[in-house]
Amino acid sequence: MFPFSRRQFLAIAALGRISGPEWKRYPDPATELEVVRLTDPAFASGMTAPHLRQFTRRSDSLLYWSERYPGEGTGARQAFLLDLKMGASRQLTEAMALDPLSLSLSPDERSFLFFDGRALHEALLTTMKSREVHVVPEKATRTGFTVATDGSVIFAEREPGKSRILGVFRQQTRKIVETDEAIEDLMARPRHSQLLYRAGGQFWLVNGDGSGKRQLKTEPGQTGGALWVPSGRTFIYLHIPEDPKELITLRENSPDDGADKLIAKTSQFISASPNADASVFTGASRSKASAYVLILLRAARRELTLCEHRASDPAMVQPVFSPDSQRILFVSDRHGKPALYQVHVNRFVEETPDEAQ
């Protein structure tokens, strides 16, 4: 069910178009595990950035984007809320130029945030009433987007020769830090007032007030995608060797003590994401010959194949765990346009409590 009472649900039904379930179940050709395609591949759908809050706390709804109803006077992509128990989707926005990688629920799940072109908006989930809270200047280019534990919305603006990280809280904008280099992979640290970002190919950590900026020591060489574990104690990242014949590894960095250690070698992951207690990781293989979604068990350092993804571009897959660790969602265009898919993993992964996320 949607996270509302029946009265609220009936009241808002007229405000946002609701589409019925589009689910299709099938046995995976490689493993015979049941896979559920959640959205119709006749139109494109996808998820937001993996570090943003897209699931409601009880794992019952998902915030995502879709081109289901390209309307006159609006852009093709709009935000939707998917009921993961019943299958219905409700349209939330009528944006002109929705940035799908800026969709995020607020920490209290009463509202959601998104960029529509240069304008940052916050909208209530119950009424979808939206308000503009910041506009990126014409001469600047926005990069990155994250939401801190206290509800601050944080992103970077790039102008010729400099970048600055900004925080918006209660419609007040403040500069956190400025640097000469372009800022990438900006992520708020869970349960801490700190930010992780990448600039010049290196990871940096800075306090929420702009103090304490420092470069983090990671394994020398090229790094791939990074994500905080839900506790905020460490972050994981992929390390890509110079020799393409060598395996990509998953590593873990602890900023508080400077430790950086190997978790395991991978079957050439292009992305990786932890479950709620970081005991298991899910990843997508970049190999076209073995185009799989997998899980990696930390203790055993062993991978299990869940299903094929067969995406034309493995970078789109980006599998993630639901907060309770009982299902994995990913994106693929194997049946047409990009669509959302789900596979249950309760046979392999223990359920994690709500507060673990």
Side-chain angles (χ1 to χ4, degrees):
M1 296 294 289
F2 290 115
F4 314 110
S5 69
R6 177 176 175 78
R7 177 179 294 180
Q8 288 175 315
F9 181 82
L10 293 174
I12 63 178
L15 300 176
R17 281 180 287 190
I18 295 180
S19 59
E22 299 160 349
W23 292 3
K24 180 176 176 59
R25 303 173 186 271
Y26 64 92
D28 180 72
T31 65
E32 298 188 352
L33 290 176
E34 183 182 75
V35 180
V36 184
R37 192 180 67 211
L38 301 174
T39 60
D40 191 334
F43 46 81
S45 300
M47 295 189 289
T48 187
H51 68 275
L52 295 176
R53 183 183 290 268
Q54 52 194 315
F55 293 94
T56 52
R57 190 167 287 105
R58 295 180 181 178
S59 305
D60 53 10
S61 296
L62 175 78
L63 181 67
Y64 73 105
W65 64 266
S66 179
E67 297 178 356
R68 181 182 283 104
Y69 301 129
E72 295 183 3
T74 64
R77 292 180 176 179
Q78 302 297 337
F80 287 80
L81 192 68
L82 171 63
D83 181 337
L84 289 170
K85 293 184 178 179
M86 304 301 292
S89 285
R90 179 168 64 92
Q91 184 175 343
L92 301 177
T93 61
E94 291 186 352
M96 295 296 296
L98 177 73
D99 176 3
L101 297 182
S102 68
L103 278 173
S104 180
L105 293 167
S106 63
D108 62 9
E109 298 181 7
R110 295 179 181 178
S111 62
F112 65 100
L113 301 134
F114 63 96
F115 264 98
D116 184 2
R118 293 181 175 275
L120 171 63
H121 289 262
E122 181 175 18
L124 294 174
L125 275 173
T126 51
T127 65
M128 292 173 290
K129 185 177 180 180
S130 173
R131 61 187 178 98
E132 185 179 280
V133 295
H134 179 81
V135 177
V136 177
E138 287 287 341
K139 61 181 179 179
T141 302
R142 179 184 59 84
T143 61
F145 185 86
T146 189
V147 181
T149 303
D150 67 357
S152 297
V153 182
I154 301 164
F155 50 91
E157 291 180 351
R158 176 71 174 171
E159 295 182 10
K162 64 178 180 179
S163 297
R164 57 180 175 268
I165 296 177
L166 302 177
V168 180
F169 184 65
R170 296 178 179 174
Q171 294 191 290
Q172 298 295 315
T173 302
R174 59 186 175 86
K175 184 175 71 174
I176 297 174
V177 72
E178 190 168 281
T179 179
D180 295 337
E181 298 175 301
I183 292 172
E184 303 174 312
D185 297 334
L186 178 61
M187 292 177 287
R189 186 177 186 180
R191 306 182 186 184
H192 298 71
S193 180
Q194 290 181 314
L195 302 170
L196 176 73
Y197 66 94
R198 184 169 6 209
Q202 303 297 324
F203 289 111
W204 298 80
L205 191 72
V206 64
N207 295 330
D209 62 3
S211 66
K213 175 185 170 182
R214 58 189 174 97
Q215 183 180 334
L216 301 180
K217 185 178 180 181
T218 56
E219 185 74 1
Q222 183 180 354
T223 56
L227 280 175
W228 287 107
V229 304
S231 68
R233 288 191 293 269
T234 62
F235 69 91
I236 62 169
Y237 68 95
L238 293 171
H239 182 261
I240 304 169
E242 293 184 3
D243 185 348
K245 295 181 181 180
E246 294 184 12
L247 293 177
I248 293 169
T249 59
L250 181 63
R251 300 188 66 87
E252 185 171 38
N253 186 281
S254 175
D256 294 337
D257 61 17
D260 190 276
K261 63 181 182 180
L262 174 72
I263 294 177
K265 295 181 178 180
T266 77
S267 54
Q268 302 304 72
F269 281 9
I270 194 169
S271 63
S273 180
N275 75 327
D277 63 7
S279 62
V280 186
F281 308 89
T282 182
S285 173
R286 67 181 68 204
S287 168
K288 292 185 177 180
S290 303
Y292 299 132
V293 174
L294 308 100
I295 57 175
L296 170 63
L297 308 178
R298 178 193 286 267
R301 293 191 175 185
R302 184 166 64 96
E303 289 183 358
L304 298 175
T305 300
L306 295 177
C307 60
E308 296 178 342
H309 64 72
R310 296 296 171 190
S312 61
D313 179 4
M316 79 168 66
V317 182
Q318 294 202 324
V320 295
F321 280 95
S322 59
D324 62 6
S325 303
Q326 295 300 278
R327 67 188 88 181
I328 289 172
L329 276 75
F330 63 95
V331 177
S332 175
D333 58 358
R334 66 176 301 169
H335 294 128
K337 294 184 178 179
L340 306 185
Y341 292 77
Q342 172 183 278
V343 58
H344 283 276
V345 292
N346 52 302
R347 289 170 52 183
F348 313 109
V349 184
E350 292 186 3
E351 184 174 1
T352 49
D354 294 341
E355 59 269 22
Q357 77 163 341

